[in-house]
Amino acid sequence: MNIKLENVKKQFGDTVAIDDISLEFHDGKLTTLLGPSGCGKSTMLNLISGILPVTSGKIYFGDRDVTSLSPDKRNIGLVFQNYALYPHMKVWENIAFPLEIKKVPKNERKERAYEFAKLLRIEEYFERKPSQLSGGQQQRVAIARALAKEPEILLLDEPLSNLDARLRLEMREEIRRIQLETGITTVFVTHDQEEAMSISDHIVLMKKGEIQQHGLPQELYDEPCNVFVADFLGNPPINLITAVKSGNKAVTEDGVSFFSEGLNNVSDGRKLILGIRSEAFEVLKKDEPGYINSTPAEVKAVFMNGKDVLYSLSVGSMEIRAGFSNNEIYRQGDKLKIALKKKGVHVYDFDTGEKIG
Amino acid sequence: MSMTLTQGKRLAKTRSDERITARTFIEPLIYLLPFIVVVSVFMVYPIITVFLNSFLEDYNYLANTYSGFGLGNYSALFSDKEFVGALQNTFIYVGCVVPISTVLSLAIAILLNKKLRGTSIFQFAYFLPMVTATIAVGIVWKWMYHYDYGLINYFIQVLGGEPVHWMEDPIMAKAALIIYGIWGKLPFTVILFLSGLQTIDEQYYTAAKVDGAGSKKILFRITIPLLSPTIALVLIINIINTSKVFNEVFALFNGKPGPGYSLYTVVYYIYENFYHEMNVSIACAAALVLFAIVFLMTLLQTAVQKRWVSR
Ligand SMILES: Nc1ncnc2c1ncn2[C@@H]1O[C@H](COP(=O)(O)OP(=O)(O)OP(=O)(O)O)[C@@H](O)[C@H]1O
Ligand SMILES: [Mg+2]
C-alpha cells in the first residue's frame, strides 16, 4: 500500500514539528525515517498512524484519503520503542490481542498467533509471560503482535534502541527478513545512520521537521545534497574542511591546498566547505601523475578494525580521517603525499551548505 | 590478640558478612528501643491481654478474680442472639460498602485520571470526607437524613417521591448507614486507585486503541488487570476498616446503635459489653472472633487474588 503525504504540517503550539512535507512511501518497500533527536521522526510516524491529527495537509493510503480517520480504521501495525507488551497476558495472548478485539474465536486466534510466533521464531515461548523473555524476544513478540492483524502498513518507532549492540544487528536483519517475506509496506524510524543504511530500500533524512534528502541509501551516501546530509551519513564521519577556491585548488586558512575536479565550476575566491569521505584519499608515489599537486600529510594515529585500517592524518593544523585502498600499512610518524579521488569529494557553499560542485 | 581485634574492627567496617556476635544485636537494639517500647506498651501488651482475658471463666474486672481458663466465653458469645445479630449487621455493612465503594471509587478515579486531572474543585470534593472527622460529619449527615428538614428527603420530594424515614425505620436506617459509609470510604480509595492508574503506561492504551479496542475492552482487558494489585490492596484495607464499623453508627444515631438496636455491630457489642456491662472477657472474646473473621477474609482474598492477579 502506497503512502502519500501532501503538504503535511504539524504544529504543537508554536513549535513546528513537521513543516509542509510532501512525500511518497512506496508499496512493499522499507522506508526509514532518519534524523537527529527532535527532528520530527516520531511525529511523522504518529501522523501516518493517526495517533496525532495533522495541522494541515492530506495523507493517502493508496487512493484512500485517511487524513481524518482514527488509527483503528487505518489498518496499520505499530511497534513501539519499549515494546508496550501487556504484562498480564501470555505471549500468545499478546500476539492474538488484535484478533481478540476483532472477535476471532479463541481456537483460531491461537492458531494464527502460532503462525506468527513461528515466523518470528518465538514459538517456544508461546505460553510465557513477557517478563520471562529477553529484550530481543520481547521485541519479536511486539512485531508478531503488529503483524497478527495482517495490516497493510507496518510502522516501527526506534524498535531496536533498547537492545544491546549485537542484538540490534541480529534484530535488524530479522526485521528485514520478515519485511521481505511478507512484502509489507514498512516505515522504520531510527536515528542510527548505520542501521538505516543497512536495512532500507529508501531513506528519508530529516532535520528540524524538514526533509533534507531522500532516496536510495547509496544515493544519499554518494551524492549528499548538503553539508548536513554529508555529515550525518557514513562511518567514519566525512571530513569537512573550510577553504577558499583559488585557481584549480581549494586553499585552507593555514595554506594547505587540495586539488579537485569538483572545483572546476566554482568561481574564484568563493568560500566553501570541502566534504571528503575517508575513502576518497589516495597516497601518491614520487613519479605518479599528480604528485606535484599532492598535499603533504603525517600519520598521527593508526586504527585497525579487522578488515580495514583507518588513519588519523595531520595536514597543516587539521586532523583528517583517511583510509587507503592500497595494501600498504603505514605507521605513526610516516610522511605521505595524499591526493583526492574523483568519487567521494563534495563541494558545498560555506554559507548555505548547499552543494555547488 | 590485640592484632586480631583491630583487624576484626577494620574488617567489620568493610565486610558485610562479619562474624555474628552479641554486638551485632545490641547496637541495632539500642536504636530500635524507643520504637519497641512504644509498640510493646501500646500494641503487643494489649493484644496479649485481650487474648488471655477472652479465656478467663467468671472474670470480675473490678476485683480481678476468675475461676479458671476455658472456652466458656466463646460458647456464651455464639448462643447470644445479640452477638449473632451484630455479626449479621456487620456482614451486611461490609458486604454492601466494600463492593459498592470499590466500584464507585474505581469509576471516579478513571474519570479523574482521564479528563478532570487537577481540577481543583473536584480534588476538593473527593478529599472532603478524608479531612473531616467522622463524628462531626455524622452530625451533618444526620441533618441531611432528617425526615422533615433533610436535604435528601427534599430532593426525593422534588423528584416526586415520598419522604423516607431514614433515621427511624430500621431498614432505611441500614441504608442510611451504608450510604454514609460508602461516602466516607471514597476519598482514600479514589486516591489509591488514582495513584495505581498513574503507574499504567500510556502506551498500553495507545497500542490497544490502534488495534481498535473499544473502551469496554480496554477497561476489562487492560486497565483492571493492570490495576489488580491496587484493587487487591483496596479490598483488604476496606474489609478491615469496614469490619470495625462503630463511629459511623455512633455519630448518626446519637450514640445509639440505630432505631431499635437495628444497627448493632460487632464493635458496638464489644463497646457495650466492655463499658456498660463490664463483661470484659466476653468483649475480649468478641474482639478475637472479629479478628479471626477479618483475618480469614483477607487470607481468602489473597488466595483468590493470587490466581487472578498476574503481575
Ligand atoms: N506532544 C508534544 N507537545 C509539544 N511538542 C512536541 C510534542 N511531541 C513532540 N514535540 C516536539 O516536536 C519535535 C519533534 O519531536 P519528535 O518526537 O517527533 O522527535 P523525534 O525525531 O522522534 O526525536 P527522538 O529521536 O528523540 O525520538 C520536538 O521538537 C518536540 O519537542
Ligand atoms: Mg522519537
Side-chain angles (χ1 to χ4, degrees):
Chain A
M1 171 98 12
N2 237 34
I3 307 169
K4 203 165 93 195
L5 308 186
E6 243 178 48
N7 303 101
V8 168
K9 195 169 177 187
K10 178 67 189 176
Q11 268 176 302
F12 297 105
D14 286 341
T15 21
V16 181
I18 296 290
D19 195 6
D20 196 22
I21 283 182
S22 297
L23 184 66
E24 210 165 314
F25 298 86
H26 300 290
D27 185 30
K29 299 283 188 224
L30 194 158
T31 307
T32 300
L33 295 178
L34 178 65
S37 183
C39 72
K41 307 179 294 286
S42 300
T43 307
M44 180 109 111
L45 202 75
N46 291 338
L47 293 176
I48 296 172
S49 69
I51 291 173
L52 291 173
V54 298
T55 307
S56 64
K58 294 252 174 241
I59 299 173
Y60 297 92
F61 287 180
D63 300 328
R64 197 160 58 118
D65 181 355
V66 298
T67 315
S68 52
L69 287 186
S70 59
D72 54 302
K73 305 222 166 58
R74 295 191 184 194
N75 198 15
I76 45 155
L78 201 55
V79 178
F80 295 88
Q81 180 174 345
N82 52 3
Y83 325 130
L85 296 178
Y86 308 118
H88 55 288
M89 296 185 201
K90 289 178 179 166
V91 164
W92 81 262
E93 289 174 302
N94 263 289
I95 300 175
F97 192 62
L99 303 174
E100 185 184 328
I101 294 168
K102 286 186 183 166
K103 303 203 166 69
V104 176
K106 187 169 174 185
N107 284 338
E108 197 186 327
R109 244 168 32 215
K110 201 161 180 176
E111 259 166 45
R112 289 203 5 218
Y114 193 76
E115 278 168 38
F116 284 99
K118 266 207 325 230
L119 178 67
L120 272 297
R121 299 175 180 154
I122 43 172
E123 66 270 27
E124 54 179 306
Y125 315 118
F126 208 51
E127 296 285 345
R128 286 207 202 163
K129 290 277 171 63
S131 58
Q132 299 166 314
L133 300 181
S134 73
Q137 291 160 352
Q138 289 184 26
Q139 191 56 277
R140 283 166 202 257
V141 178
I143 296 170
R145 182 176 67 183
L147 290 173
K149 61 177 193 180
E150 293 172 10
E152 289 169 299
I153 292 166
L154 182 64
L155 305 172
L156 307 104
D157 192 351
E158 309 218 17
L160 307 180
S161 57
N162 283 357
L163 305 178
D164 68 49
R166 171 138 197 174
L167 209 50
R168 287 175 83 129
L169 283 178
E170 216 174 274
M171 280 306 294
R172 190 201 277 183
E173 285 162 18
E174 190 74 6
I175 289 176
R176 187 54 165 160
R177 172 181 74 82
I178 284 151
Q179 194 270 330
L180 290 173
E181 232 166 272
T182 56
I184 187 170
T185 310
T186 304
V187 182
F188 182 98
V189 167
T190 180
H191 58 250
D192 180 341
Q193 56 92 19
E194 219 171 325
E195 204 166 282
M197 293 291 284
S198 72
I199 201 177
S200 320
D201 291 311
H202 208 84
I203 292 181
V204 177
L205 181 51
M206 299 174 59
K207 179 189 168 189
K208 291 192 183 146
E210 288 176 16
I211 295 176
Q212 298 295 308
Q213 189 173 359
H214 66 98
L216 303 177
Q218 206 57 43
E219 269 172 29
L220 264 69
Y221 184 81
D222 288 340
E223 291 302 325
C225 71
N226 62 33
V227 172
F228 175 79
V229 178
D231 194 24
F232 201 85
L233 293 174
N235 189 24
I238 197 166
N239 296 291
L240 293 174
I241 296 164
T242 309
V244 174
K245 160 86 191 266
S246 153
N248 55 353
K249 55 192 190 212
V251 184
T252 67
E253 225 171 22
D254 46 356
V256 179
S257 51
F258 291 98
F259 287 80
S260 167
E261 287 178 29
L263 291 162
N264 291 346
N265 310 328
V266 183
S267 54
D268 241 17
R270 186 159 177 185
K271 204 167 179 197
L272 50 82
I273 296 173
L274 268 182
I276 312 169
R277 295 262 179 231
S278 64
E279 67 270 20
F281 292 100
E282 58 184 342
V283 180
L284 294 185
K285 299 222 178 70
K286 223 174 197 126
D287 21 289
E288 278 180 282
Y291 182 78
I292 36 163
N293 286 338
S294 61
T295 311
E298 186 183 333
V299 177
K300 272 279 173 230
V302 185
F303 305 99
M304 312 279 242
N305 74 353
K307 56 186 202 322
D308 5 82
V309 188
L310 184 71
Y311 299 97
S312 172
L313 306 178
S314 83
V315 179
S317 63
M318 293 174 291
E319 262 200 44
I320 283 177
R321 288 172 292 267
F324 307 114
S325 49
N326 60 13
N327 286 326
E328 283 186 59
I329 302 244
Y330 303 101
R331 281 186 303 177
Q332 195 180 352
D334 284 358
K335 298 221 172 4
L336 311 173
K337 289 287 208 170
I338 56 171
L340 304 184
K341 297 182 189 169
K342 242 192 238 168
K343 204 176 165 202
V345 180
H346 311 281
V347 186
Y348 300 102
D349 182 73
F350 181 79
D351 298 310
T352 64
E354 295 302 317
K355 192 166 167 87
I356 49 176
Chain B
M1 184 65 203
S2 70
M3 255 291 277
T4 54
L5 246 180
T6 50
Q7 251 178 7
K9 251 187 195 163
R10 199 148 18 93
L11 281 178
K13 272 191 185 143
T14 50
R15 278 175 42 180
S16 58
D17 57 341
E18 71 183 282
R19 243 178 325 136
I20 292 169
T21 61
R23 270 200 71 168
T24 328
F25 297 104
I26 290 167
E27 222 179 272
L29 201 63
I30 295 169
Y31 296 126
L32 285 173
L33 204 59
F35 176 73
I36 291 174
V37 167
V38 170
V39 167
S40 318
V41 170
F42 292 104
M43 295 182 74
V44 179
Y45 174 72
I47 288 171
I48 293 173
T49 316
V50 167
F51 184 77
L52 292 178
N53 277 348
S54 75
F55 294 102
L56 299 180
E57 305 272 4
D58 303 322
Y59 180 56
N60 185 326
Y61 180 62
L62 295 177
N64 199 15
T65 57
Y66 55 92
S67 60
F69 289 97
L71 292 171
N73 293 321
Y74 290 92
S75 61
L77 209 54
F78 283 104
S79 50
D80 183 353
K81 272 208 203 85
E82 277 184 4
F83 180 72
V84 177
L87 217 48
Q88 233 168 25
N89 282 339
T90 308
F91 273 133
I92 292 171
Y93 181 79
V94 174
C96 289
V97 171
V98 172
I100 295 175
S101 71
T102 306
V103 171
L104 212 58
S105 314
L106 186 58
I108 294 173
I110 287 173
L111 282 179
L112 284 171
N113 196 41
K114 252 189 206 144
K115 304 182 185 99
L116 307 162
R117 198 187 305 220
T119 310
S120 47
I121 292 176
F122 253 88
Q123 276 180 349
F124 177 69
Y126 72 77
F127 267 116
L128 193 63
M130 201 167 172
V131 294
T132 48
T134 316
I135 300 286
V137 173
I139 294 167
V140 176
W141 274 84
K142 206 159 67 190
W143 270 105
M144 301 214 303
Y145 280 134
H146 195 279
Y147 183 77
D148 294 317
Y149 312 116
L151 209 56
I152 295 174
N153 275 350
Y154 173 75
F155 278 117
I156 289 176
Q157 280 168 311
V158 165
L159 295 174
E162 283 289 304
V164 177
H165 281 280
W166 292 106
M167 309 308 283
E168 298 82 13
D169 177 349
I171 304 231
M172 288 328 286
K174 259 188 194 114
L177 180 69
I178 286 167
I179 292 170
Y180 174 50
I182 291 169
W183 181 81
K185 289 289 165 277
L186 283 185
F188 187 57
T189 319
V190 168
I191 287 164
L192 282 179
F193 277 141
L194 259 181
S195 67
L197 284 171
Q198 308 267 333
T199 63
I200 300 179
D201 193 331
E202 195 66 35
Q203 280 206 332
Y204 294 129
Y205 299 123
T206 312
K209 272 186 207 143
V210 168
D211 290 341
S215 47
K216 207 172 128 197
K217 190 103 208 163
I218 290 178
L219 178 67
F220 287 106
R221 280 295 266 153
I222 295 174
T223 311
I224 290 183
L226 289 178
L227 201 60
S228 52
T230 313
I231 296 175
L233 177 75
V234 161
L235 285 178
I236 290 184
I237 291 179
N238 277 351
I239 286 174
I240 293 173
N241 283 339
T242 49
S243 302
K244 298 189 294 192
V245 55
F246 172 77
N247 284 353
E248 289 84 349
V249 184
F250 201 90
L252 272 188
F253 298 95
N254 292 328
K256 290 192 195 70
Y261 269 56
S262 60
L263 297 180
Y264 205 47
T265 67
V266 175
V267 174
Y268 222 111
Y269 180 90
I270 296 168
Y271 166 80
E272 285 214 325
N273 273 288
F274 195 93
Y275 286 104
H276 294 165
E277 307 186 10
M278 290 292 175
N279 287 332
V280 173
S281 43
I282 290 275
C284 290
L288 274 182
V289 169
L290 180 62
F291 166 75
I293 290 171
V294 172
F295 187 64
L296 280 179
M297 280 199 284
T298 45
L299 277 190
L300 185 74
Q301 201 272 338
T302 356
V304 172
Q305 176 209 344
K306 249 195 200 133
R307 301 203 51 198
W308 179 51
V309 176
S310 29
R311 224 175 24 163

